[in-house]
Amino acid sequence: MRTATLMVTNGEADVGVIETAIDTIKQMIIDGELRPGQKLPVEKNLAEQLGVARNTLREAVRALVAMRVLQTRQGDGTYVTSLSPDLLLDGMSFVADIHLDAGAGEFLHVRRILEAEATALAATRIPDADLVHLGDLLDEAETVAACDPVDHEKLVALDQDFHALIASHCGNAVLAAVTHNMSGRTVRARVWRGMSDPEAVHRTLREHRAVYRALLARDSERARLHAALHVLGVEESLTGSGAFAGEAARG
Amino acid sequence: MRTATLMVTNGEADVGVIETAIDTIKQMIIDGELRPGQKLPVEKNLAEQLGVARNTLREAVRALVAMRVLQTRQGDGTYVTSLSPDLLLDGMSFVADIHLDAGAGEFLHVRRILEAEATALAATRIPDADLVHLGDLLDEAETVAACDPVDHEKLVALDQDFHALIASHCGNAVLAAVTHNMSGRTVRARVWRGMSDPEAVHRTLREHRAVYRALLARDSERARLHAALHVLGVEESLTGSGAFAGEAARG
DNA sequence: AACTCCAATTGATCCGATGAATATGAATGG
DNA sequence: CCATTCATATTCATCGGATCAATTGGAGTT
């Protein structure tokens, strides 16, 4: 009956009833008692089963909802989500966002490694139809960049779509999710907003097109290099080494 | 006064009061209004400031506590954590754990890429003192492995320490944290528990020592290769290709 | 100055009540 | 017989208050 108490003795130190309830539900998922899509007992019953008050259970459930493990629908019930990696790992983008001052470079370094691998893998896996779609994204981005009042928001969205579409075809959902989330919305927005120089925007778009051509050629190594170089360019533009040294090296 | 309502109009769709409260607090952190280590207003005041009930605020705070953004101390108050990447990213290990059936290979693939990079970087950065410590870990692991009733729990802990110590000196906290969390406790435990064959244990320890020797030689490329090969061995032992093909290829 | 002890502060947990959204099944019209 | 409409029950969302427990900080003592 008092499952919660049993879990405490089994697990680590008792740091609180709610933490215990969270870990208990987590463990039920890991153990397979709760499967993706499955409906949980109603709050009243589940609270009684775990030996906690309904409000306490709600805080535990809310924590799991925040980390995309559970999903609640008012009037219906609480369900286990698909637990797919891209769903559970999308909280990482928030981590990247709050470190855009100090640690943005570290996130970008990781993204460079992963994006290079994901792009290389995608070179031999992305369907022709999605390559066409990729080309459309590039064309649209260049159109937007040509306008005088450049819509940076639109460019950010197209940039994100471009990389996400490639990564989604690397054959590894975890790699795609981690890569995608290694730079959050705020980071991407800052990068593009920092491109006051029109030349910087065009250079970035040229890098995108270089990756695109490598994918068209189904050349993994070319794709890997261009992807890495592209992210490296972003890194250097953030650390400031791109404004002088980077630009000089390119020129 | 009604900050929460203002945030809704500013942000995305209103999916609930609690979600709004969570996003508001998140944004306050991203914007720098709340800094690491800072104390939040008391529950009563903060709830009033956000225009929600105290119970509602608690659920929001609880969600942020679960993702290691906030920390509460009874009788004292609620504080913003250090927000360090290793703290905020340690929830990923849970994601890895619940996918140990289907997607363990995908996590290991990512870990292989990152661990190779982290080990290569550490080769030129890890202090001599920690290299000594690393050697001690290896010696201890071999001692444990030599005992008849092999303590697999101890081996798991030593394995985790070995890799964590290396990654911690790669000069990139994000890379270290992501690498570390790419295989959770449950995954590691399963891997080591699956080594019923004593030869498999010794092979793994030999791989560890090969990485160690490369670090001693301060040879980044050797370290990278041995690290990648080591994780690859784990991948193959999980997918089953190690039992036959892997063993044959090695012999 | 150092220690002890008490009261205020603050979060932790619980309880009950009301509102809002959904699902379910009966009733209705075709 | 089938589709639609609608009333009702179920369930989560939100709220306000009450009590317990842990920490803090100052008063008082040595």
Side-chain angles (χ1 to χ4, degrees):
Chain A
M1 179 66 75
R2 299 200 55 87
T3 311
T5 304
L6 286 176
M7 290 309 299
V8 170
T9 60
N10 185 19
E12 53 234 16
D14 187 0
V15 291
V17 180
I18 297 180
E19 293 295 330
T20 304
I22 293 175
D23 291 340
T24 303
I25 298 176
K26 270 187 176 180
Q27 197 60 43
M28 287 170 71
I29 293 176
I30 292 179
D31 293 344
E33 295 178 43
L34 290 177
R35 301 194 158 279
Q38 186 173 338
K39 185 176 180 177
L40 270 68
V42 296
E43 286 184 343
K44 182 175 176 297
N45 292 352
L46 187 54
E48 186 178 353
Q49 179 181 340
L50 297 185
V52 299
R54 182 168 164 269
N55 250 324
T56 306
L57 172 71
R58 272 189 61 80
E59 292 190 22
V61 168
R62 174 61 54 182
L64 291 169
V65 167
M67 58 179 72
R68 306 287 193 270
V69 172
L70 298 180
Q71 179 188 7
T72 58
R73 286 194 302 174
Q74 185 174 333
D76 186 0
T78 303
Y79 297 84
V80 181
T81 67
S82 64
L83 300 179
S84 64
D86 61 330
L87 194 67
L88 271 57
L89 292 175
D90 78 339
M92 289 186 356
S93 59
F94 166 70
V95 183
D97 278 343
I98 62 177
H99 284 94
L100 51 85
D101 289 323
E106 298 193 348
F107 280 93
L108 279 173
H109 185 172
V110 176
R111 188 190 143 198
R112 167 157 52 91
I113 302 165
L114 295 177
E115 185 121 11
E117 180 80 11
T119 308
L121 288 171
T124 59
R125 296 161 198 263
I126 187 171
D128 291 333
D130 288 295
L131 279 176
V132 174
H133 187 190
L134 216 52
D136 294 341
L137 288 176
L138 279 180
D139 294 339
E140 189 176 355
E142 283 165 1
T143 303
V144 172
C147 299
D148 190 7
V150 177
D151 186 353
H152 281 182
E153 295 299 323
K154 186 68 180 172
L155 282 179
V156 171
L158 288 171
D159 174 63
Q160 198 147 8
D161 289 345
F162 179 80
H163 290 291
L165 183 57
I166 295 175
S168 67
H169 288 100
C170 73
N172 185 327
V174 176
L175 176 58
V178 177
T179 301
H180 178 68
N181 287 301
M182 260 306 121
S183 62
R185 210 170 297 169
T186 308
V187 173
R188 273 197 161 81
R190 160 173 290 205
V191 168
W192 283 90
R193 198 165 39 238
M195 293 184 188
S196 54
D197 181 13
E199 171 54 24
V201 174
H202 289 136
R203 168 163 49 84
T204 302
L205 293 180
R206 278 200 306 272
E207 290 170 348
H208 277 189
R209 194 161 283 277
V211 172
Y212 170 65
R213 280 195 299 263
L215 293 178
L216 271 183
R218 302 296 187 180
D219 191 329
S220 289
E221 282 312 308
R222 263 177 68 195
R224 178 194 302 275
L225 279 174
H226 280 298
L229 186 64
H230 169 54
V231 180
L232 186 62
V234 176
E235 289 180 61
E236 291 177 342
S237 73
L238 268 190
T239 57
S241 59
F244 279 82
E247 215 54 37
R250 288 169 188 278
Chain B
M1 179 70 77
R2 299 203 51 92
T3 310
T5 305
L6 288 176
M7 292 306 301
V8 169
T9 62
N10 184 19
E12 55 231 16
D14 187 2
V15 291
V17 180
I18 297 180
E19 293 295 329
T20 304
I22 293 176
D23 292 340
T24 302
I25 298 176
K26 270 187 176 182
Q27 198 60 43
M28 289 169 70
I29 293 176
I30 292 179
D31 293 343
E33 296 178 42
L34 290 177
R35 300 195 157 277
Q38 186 173 340
K39 185 176 180 177
L40 271 68
V42 296
E43 285 185 343
K44 183 175 177 296
N45 292 353
L46 186 55
E48 186 177 353
Q49 179 182 340
L50 297 184
V52 299
R54 185 165 163 269
N55 252 325
T56 306
L57 172 71
R58 274 191 60 81
E59 292 190 21
V61 169
R62 174 60 55 181
L64 292 170
V65 168
M67 59 179 72
R68 305 288 193 270
V69 172
L70 298 181
Q71 179 188 5
T72 58
R73 287 194 301 175
Q74 185 173 338
D76 187 2
T78 302
Y79 298 84
V80 182
T81 67
S82 66
L83 299 178
S84 64
D86 62 330
L87 194 66
L88 270 58
L89 293 174
D90 79 339
M92 288 184 1
S93 60
F94 166 70
V95 182
D97 278 344
I98 63 178
H99 284 94
L100 50 83
D101 289 323
E106 297 193 349
F107 280 93
L108 279 173
H109 185 172
V110 177
R111 188 191 142 198
R112 167 156 53 90
I113 303 165
L114 296 177
E115 184 121 14
E117 180 79 11
T119 307
L121 288 172
T124 59
R125 297 162 197 262
I126 187 169
D128 291 333
D130 288 293
L131 280 176
V132 174
H133 188 189
L134 217 52
D136 293 340
L137 288 176
L138 279 180
D139 294 339
E140 187 177 355
E142 283 165 0
T143 302
V144 172
C147 298
D148 191 5
V150 178
D151 186 352
H152 281 181
E153 296 298 324
K154 186 66 181 173
L155 283 179
V156 171
L158 288 171
D159 174 63
Q160 201 147 6
D161 290 344
F162 179 81
H163 291 291
L165 183 57
I166 295 175
S168 67
H169 288 100
C170 72
N172 185 326
V174 176
L175 177 58
V178 177
T179 301
H180 179 68
N181 287 301
M182 262 305 122
S183 62
R185 209 171 298 168
T186 307
V187 173
R188 273 196 160 81
R190 161 173 289 204
V191 168
W192 283 91
R193 200 166 35 241
M195 294 183 187
S196 54
D197 181 12
E199 173 54 25
V201 174
H202 288 138
R203 168 162 50 83
T204 302
L205 293 179
R206 278 201 305 273
E207 290 170 348
H208 278 190
R209 195 160 283 277
V211 173
Y212 169 64
R213 280 196 299 264
L215 293 178
L216 270 185
R218 303 294 187 181
D219 190 330
S220 288
E221 283 312 307
R222 261 176 69 195
R224 178 193 302 273
L225 280 173
H226 280 299
L229 186 65
H230 170 54
V231 180
L232 186 62
V234 176
E235 289 180 62
E236 291 178 342
S237 73
L238 269 190
T239 59
S241 58
F244 280 81
E247 217 51 40
R250 287 168 188 281

